[in-house]
Amino acid sequence: MATTTDSLSRLLNLYLMLANARQPMTLEEITRELGGFPTSFDARRQAFERAKRDLRSLGLPIVTTRDLSGTTDAYIVDSREGVDLAPSLTPMEALALAGAMASVRFGPDAALDSATKIGCMFDGEVAALANLPKVPLISELFGALHRNMKVSFAYHDKARTLCPYGIVFRWGNWYLVGREEDSEITKSFRVDFIQGSLTALGKSCTPPTDLVISEVIPETRAAIPEGDLLEVVLSFRSELRDVVGGTLPALADLVQDGAMLVGKVEVGSFESFVKVVVEFSEVLEVREPATIKERIRGWVARSMASQETAVAAARRLSDFGRDAFPLVSGDFNSSAETRKGQDTTLVQFRRVMTMLPWLYRNPSTTTAEISRLFNIDPDRVGGLLERIACCGLPPFTPDRLIEIIVDGDDIQARISDEFATGLKLDSGDLFVVALSAKIALAAGDFEGRVELESALEKIFGRGSAEEIGDSIVIDFEGDRNLGKVRSALETHRQLKFEYFSSSKAELTTRLVDPFALFSQREFWYLRGWCHNSGGVRNFRLDRMDGIEILETPSLNQPSAQDLLPSTFSIDEGDFAAGKAVVLEVERDALWRVNGLMYRSVSAKPDNDATWVEIRVLSDRWLAKLVASAGGEIRVVYPLETSMAILGEIQQIATRLA
């Protein structure tokens, strides 16, 4: 019997024993084998229940059943949950999986957080980063899709049952593509509009072999069918043909009229078309028909009236409640969470559970490497490893213990299969694995392709890489320029291009040393050193035109900070110089600001709207957001910004007159 009062060792021994037990064990058997529990029954029961709760909180599948006699509760790790996944991956498979997942952020978290559960650590340079929003039910939908199961849910207040065929990310939103029962039409459903919970049914369904799910949803928002198509004649500056044209359905009958191009377009979604017109209002004009022009003016007029109401209300900071918005109150630094997580037993246990499968695949390592990969103080690595080395399985003889030898900075480990289980991948983790693999495999230059496909087969089954490729579509705007930008990155050469800034409504020539490509929600971006601005800037690829790859090598190289995955995104650092404002968003219209990086959200006391706090760099950009919302968004604080936005919207209305 192993008697230990060390809480980490006891928790680890408990998990290893239940994960390797051949049959459920009673509390009496568990405490007899492990020792170290309190002597009184009630205290022993409480200690065990705390340990069980801690293990379950980490996703470890501890189940309660009955012992063989059927008279007493017994406990075991559910072997059906795939806890042997961690040791089944080879070192190269684990590295390929981690490399793919290190290049993706899903919601606020790095996708690599999921991979670390099974000891897949990545310590290298990431060339591209995808940043996609996390919405409720997306993981459950993927699970049903992967198992070819029908699903039921409520959508627009109507109960739906359908066969899911695929998941599409387009225009910054997630869509489910499938066919409803008693229907022959394949439709799309926006996932964040699904109401309530989702039920996966025990009925199987198979997608048509000739279905291409990426073609179910139109390529541009304005092409979304919402009744009869609207034929519109418009004109815009000819040098912006690709920039403007990329936001609209196919342009037809284009003719040159001085400095302008004139053409026709068939619009499906009026509201999406309004957003394009407002965004390019300085360089675009709707010429015909008069009825559409009048509808657009009326839409913007509602936005202007809503903003006038906000100015008249003249909100004070105290109106929003005490400490509701740390950015606008100037208390952000003092109110931000700066404390590091306490090194509790549960934190240590989670770290150990990621270390064990990694040590299994990498038996020869160093203190410095462990410290860097697992974020442990170098002086504490030895002590933690010594505590792990005391753990194992009954009867805790030398051959049943984890073996770790620390010789100076060198570390040698002997971790057997039964000790390398790792943490469990839940349905959310599995979707992140599939999502990351999809993005990595879509890049032709992913070095670990063979190993990644092998890892996917172990996780999802044979042929899973092809299946994932067919069932998940990731579509970022601006890919028409992707090839040239990637080529410049690979050859370390300067880029010269024309760049349209919507916030400044101007087209400028830029000379840029490219650092990295990344995606943020629906757009591709280039991060690089801009010689015009004299600093690091982000450029949306769909706003770039006339790209030239110069013979001149890049003069500026990214710093170590610039190569961190966390910098390959539009984050708070990019908006540090911006001002903080509070928006008032109508009830059920929060989807309009889902793409924004807001700090705080607070419901109004009357519950008819929501207050959202954001940072902005440009009044003109913010005014266009408000003007295209048809009155459902207004800037309510501070007053000077609220008034400035009203003035900008009035100018937009004048341009559309």
Side-chain angles (χ1 to χ4, degrees):
M1 180 180 70
T3 301
T4 177
T5 58
D6 179 69
S7 56
L8 172 62
S9 299
R10 186 170 63 190
L11 197 61
L12 182 56
N13 284 335
L14 172 63
Y15 177 73
L16 292 175
M17 185 170 68
L18 294 180
N20 290 279
R22 294 184 178 181
Q23 59 189 33
M25 301 180 66
T26 65
L27 177 58
E28 181 182 352
E29 291 170 333
I30 291 170
T31 54
R32 183 174 65 246
E33 293 287 353
L34 292 183
F37 282 88
T39 55
S40 76
F41 176 81
D42 289 342
R44 186 162 67 245
R45 164 67 67 181
Q46 291 177 5
F48 172 73
E49 289 298 328
R50 281 196 302 271
K52 185 177 66 172
R53 184 177 62 249
D54 286 344
L55 293 175
R56 284 178 172 171
S57 72
L58 295 175
L60 295 169
I62 309 295
V63 297
T64 303
T65 181
R66 305 297 283 180
D67 68 351
L68 294 179
S69 68
T71 59
T72 306
D73 284 346
Y75 311 92
I76 195 168
V77 170
D78 189 349
S79 60
R80 294 171 299 178
E81 296 291 344
V83 292
D84 60 344
L85 176 62
S88 73
L89 297 178
T90 67
M92 294 307 296
E93 290 168 348
L95 183 61
L97 180 61
M101 298 183 76
S103 66
V104 175
R105 295 191 73 83
F106 186 50
D109 307 314
L112 186 58
D113 294 344
S114 295
T116 58
K117 285 187 172 185
I118 50 177
C120 297
M121 308 298 294
F122 185 78
D123 185 29
E125 184 177 312
V126 179
L129 181 75
N131 195 328
L132 298 106
K134 187 175 183 178
V135 297
L137 303 183
I138 189 71
S139 302
E140 292 89 334
L141 284 170
F142 172 75
L145 177 68
H146 176 63
R147 299 191 300 273
N148 294 319
M149 298 177 64
K150 289 186 178 181
V151 294
S152 65
F153 51 81
Y155 193 81
H156 292 331
D157 298 320
K158 179 182 176 181
R160 318 274 182 151
T161 298
L162 70 150
C163 281
Y165 294 156
I167 295 172
V168 177
F169 179 77
R170 184 166 289 169
W171 315 320
N173 302 308
W174 289 103
Y175 295 87
L176 172 67
V177 172
R179 179 181 56 81
E180 285 191 83
E181 281 188 335
D182 304 321
S183 173
E184 298 300 321
I185 302 175
T186 300
K187 302 178 181 178
S188 62
F189 303 84
R190 187 162 151 176
V191 176
D192 56 335
F193 285 0
I194 292 177
Q195 300 162 306
S197 60
L198 176 95
T199 302
L201 307 175
K203 305 174 183 178
S204 62
C205 54
T206 305
T209 55
D210 59 347
L211 176 66
V212 180
I213 64 170
S214 61
E215 297 178 356
V216 175
I217 304 174
E219 290 190 3
T220 66
R221 297 175 192 262
I224 301 173
E226 294 180 354
D228 296 335
L229 292 175
L230 309 172
E231 186 176 272
V232 180
V233 178
L234 48 78
S235 63
F236 52 89
R237 284 167 47 180
S238 56
E239 64 267 31
L240 295 172
R241 173 174 178 170
D242 291 338
V243 173
V244 174
T247 65
L248 294 167
L251 293 161
D253 301 335
L254 281 173
V255 295
Q256 193 79 37
D257 182 12
M260 308 292 282
L261 277 176
V262 182
K264 295 179 180 178
V265 63
E266 287 189 331
V267 176
S269 169
F270 171 75
E271 184 174 340
S272 297
F273 181 60
V274 170
K275 186 175 181 181
V276 174
V277 173
V278 169
E279 183 174 6
F280 294 101
S281 59
E282 297 90 349
V283 295
L284 181 148
E285 177 188 357
V286 176
R287 296 194 172 187
E288 298 177 7
T291 54
I292 296 299
K293 295 178 65 175
E294 188 60 32
R295 281 183 67 186
I296 294 172
R297 285 195 290 266
W299 186 274
V300 174
R302 287 199 298 274
S303 300
M304 186 162 57
S306 176
Q307 189 58 39
E308 287 173 344
T309 301
V311 170
R315 294 277 186 184
R316 296 169 299 177
L317 187 59
S318 58
D319 294 338
F320 305 112
R322 183 178 179 182
D323 302 327
F325 297 118
L327 288 180
V328 295
S329 65
D331 294 333
F332 173 66
N333 290 333
S334 61
S335 64
E337 185 176 349
T338 58
R339 302 184 308 274
K340 293 185 177 180
Q342 294 180 348
D343 207 11
T344 62
T345 297
L346 201 57
V347 170
Q348 294 173 341
F349 178 81
R350 183 183 178 91
R351 184 179 292 133
V352 166
M353 290 298 287
T354 63
M355 289 177 63
L356 289 176
W358 187 86
L359 287 168
Y360 172 86
R361 304 185 191 104
N362 302 272
S364 298
T365 183
T366 64
T367 298
E369 187 170 31
I370 292 287
S371 172
R372 183 178 69 256
L373 288 179
F374 296 94
N375 193 28
I376 308 173
D377 189 313
D379 295 334
R380 301 178 63 185
V381 171
L384 181 60
L385 293 178
E386 288 177 0
R387 295 167 71 187
I388 297 174
C390 295
C391 300
L393 292 170
F396 299 101
T397 53
D399 61 314
R400 300 289 283 168
L401 294 176
I402 296 171
E403 183 179 329
I404 300 177
I405 301 174
V406 180
D407 183 10
D409 191 49
D410 295 326
I411 297 172
Q412 298 293 322
R414 182 187 65 82
I415 311 295
S416 62
D417 290 2
E418 54 201 357
F419 296 146
T421 58
L423 296 172
K424 174 182 173 290
L425 294 179
D426 58 26
S427 60
D429 296 317
L430 292 176
F431 177 66
V432 172
V433 169
L435 175 65
S436 305
K438 165 70 180 183
I439 294 171
L441 294 174
D445 56 351
F446 185 75
E447 295 182 0
R449 174 176 295 271
V450 174
E451 292 79 10
L452 179 58
E453 290 178 345
S454 177
L456 291 177
E457 286 194 0
K458 291 181 177 179
I459 296 171
F460 296 109
R462 186 170 297 278
S464 55
E466 182 178 350
E467 179 184 324
I468 289 170
D470 292 339
S471 62
I472 300 178
V473 172
I474 308 296
D475 187 10
F476 299 111
E477 299 291 332
D479 56 359
R480 65 183 172 83
N481 292 318
L482 198 57
K484 285 187 176 181
V485 174
R486 271 190 172 142
S487 179
L489 279 167
E490 292 168 357
T491 56
H492 304 287
R493 291 155 66 189
Q494 288 184 340
L495 280 171
K496 183 179 179 181
F497 52 85
E498 300 295 310
Y499 190 73
F500 179 76
S501 169
S502 178
S503 62
K504 297 180 180 179
E506 62 182 13
L507 192 69
T508 56
T509 302
R510 302 296 183 111
L511 180 64
V512 175
D513 296 336
F515 286 176
L517 269 169
F518 66 91
S519 63
Q520 181 84 12
R521 292 190 174 265
E522 70 259 52
F523 301 110
W524 277 109
Y525 290 85
L526 168 68
R527 194 173 183 89
W529 179 272
C530 178
H531 289 264
N532 305 71
S533 304
V536 178
R537 296 291 186 272
N538 297 311
F539 301 94
R540 259 176 59 177
L541 265 63
D542 66 326
R543 296 291 185 258
M544 298 162 64
D545 207 0
I547 296 180
E548 295 181 54
I549 303 176
L550 305 181
E551 294 298 327
T552 310
S554 295
L555 301 179
N556 296 279
Q557 300 301 319
S559 65
Q561 182 70 23
D562 290 324
L563 291 177
L564 291 175
S566 59
T567 68
F568 294 171
S569 63
I570 307 296
D571 55 24
E572 288 178 5
D574 294 288
F575 289 86
K579 58 184 174 183
V581 301
V582 177
L583 310 179
E584 190 170 273
V585 184
E586 291 292 317
R587 189 175 61 180
D588 301 328
L590 268 176
W591 62 271
R592 293 187 179 277
V593 296
N594 278 347
L596 306 181
M597 285 174 294
Y598 44 76
R599 164 63 56 180
S600 305
V601 177
S602 177
K604 283 182 63 180
D606 54 16
N607 202 34
D608 65 348
T610 301
W611 290 319
V612 175
E613 178 190 40
I614 65 171
R615 274 195 187 275
V616 295
L617 295 173
S618 164
D619 283 348
R620 182 171 291 180
W621 171 87
L622 182 57
K624 289 180 176 180
L625 171 70
V626 175
S628 62
E632 292 191 329
I633 300 176
R634 48 200 160 268
V635 180
V636 295
Y637 186 85
L639 179 59
E640 58 268 25
T641 302
S642 184
M643 295 173 63
I645 296 305
L646 176 58
E648 290 282 352
I649 297 175
Q650 289 169 339
Q651 291 183 38
I652 293 172
T654 299
R655 291 195 292 268
L656 297 177

